[in-house]
């Protein structure tokens, strides 16, 4: 009857509204999980004085809970051949992977794995939003790798500059010492050679003066090396 049809249409409207509300709530929960994942990873990435290895080891545990089926989801990050696994990682039949590319060079990947079969969605059992999320995570990791490597390069360059500055200072010191010693040494060598020209010089004195002259010549060779080092 028309009355029954009217009641069924009203029930259908209520059911449709309830289903739409349920979908909206599910979508909202998924977005909250995604934002929580990105927020937690970003906090780790921005932590001061933390190594890249520690960043990756801590970040990998925040990824899997953001997926549609967190109870059967595991995650891993592989960078330069080293792999970081989420707690209780379990391999499975389905995986979603995003490459980590730094300066147009592939350095590894971020991956989420389901340990059980799930219904087909947009990309296997995974959603389009989950593809976007894992791509953003891979980009964040690539960015922090680039930053850490640039920071290390700056640190290495600063150390090289400090080392060069210390060498320059040491060279100036060596050169100054050589010049200061060279003048009195030249007098010692000159006077000893002058005395040796005396034909009446006793033999034992001549022998002692020869030793003085040879020692002075040896010291002058050391000074020459110091000047070379200073230059």
């Amino acid at each position: 009857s028309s009355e029954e049809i009217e009641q069924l249409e009203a029930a259908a409207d209520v059911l449709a509204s309830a289903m739409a509300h349920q979908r909206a709530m599910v979508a909202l929960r998924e977005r909250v999980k995604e934002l929580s994942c990105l927020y937690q990873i970003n906090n780790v990435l921005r932590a001061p004085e933390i190594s890249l290895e520690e960043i990756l080891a801590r970040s990998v545990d925040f990824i899997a809970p953001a997926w549609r089926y967190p109870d059967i989801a595991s995650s891993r990050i592989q960078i330069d051949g080293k792999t970081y696994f989420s707690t209780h990682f379990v391999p499975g039949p389905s995986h979603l992977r995003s490459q980590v590319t730094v300066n147009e060079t592939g350095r590894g990947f971020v991956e989420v794995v389901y340990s059980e079969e799930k219904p087909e969605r947009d990309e296997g059992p995974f959603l389009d939003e989950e593809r976007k999320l894992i791509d953003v995570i891979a980009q964040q990791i690539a960015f922090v790798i680039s930053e850490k490597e640039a920071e290390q390069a700056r640190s290495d360059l600063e150390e090289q500059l400090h080392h060069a500055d210390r060498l320059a200072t040491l060279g100036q010191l060596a050169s100054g010492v050589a010049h200061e010693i060279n003048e009195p040494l030249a007098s010692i060598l000159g006077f000893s050679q002058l005395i040796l020209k005396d034909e009446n010089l006793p033999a034992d004195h001549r022998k002692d003066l020869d030793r003085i002259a040879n020692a002075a010549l040896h010291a002058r060779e050391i000074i020459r090396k110091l000047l070379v080092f200073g230059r």
Side-chain angles (χ1 to χ4, degrees), residues 131-178:
R131 160 54 63 190
K132 294 175 184 175
L133 176 60
I134 199 169
D135 286 344
V136 169
I137 293 170
Q139 290 168 8
Q140 283 185 314
I141 291 173
F143 178 73
V144 77
I145 290 173
S146 179
E147 274 199 333
K148 288 289 183 182
E149 289 181 347
E151 182 181 320
Q152 185 61 47
R154 286 195 297 271
S155 177
D156 291 344
L157 181 58
E158 287 175 0
E159 179 58 31
Q160 289 175 12
L161 290 173
H162 288 316
H163 182 64
D165 186 57
R166 288 194 296 269
L167 281 178
T169 303
L170 186 59
Q172 291 173 353
L173 177 62
S175 181
V177 168

Side-chain angles (χ1 to χ4, degrees), residues 64-65 67-75 86-94 112-119 125-126:
W67 259 247
R68 185 175 178 83
Y69 306 106
D71 293 341
I72 61 168
S74 301
S75 52
S86 61
T87 307
H88 309 304
F89 179 87
V90 179
S94 304
V112 174
V113 179
Y114 282 157
S115 59
E116 301 173 9
E117 294 282 359
K118 284 295 178 181
F126 302 101

Side-chain angles (χ1 to χ4, degrees), residues 6-22:
E6 187 176 342
Q7 289 175 350
L8 287 171
E9 287 177 343
D13 288 342
V14 171
L15 183 58
S17 177
M19 291 174 66
H21 176 71
Q22 177 67 14

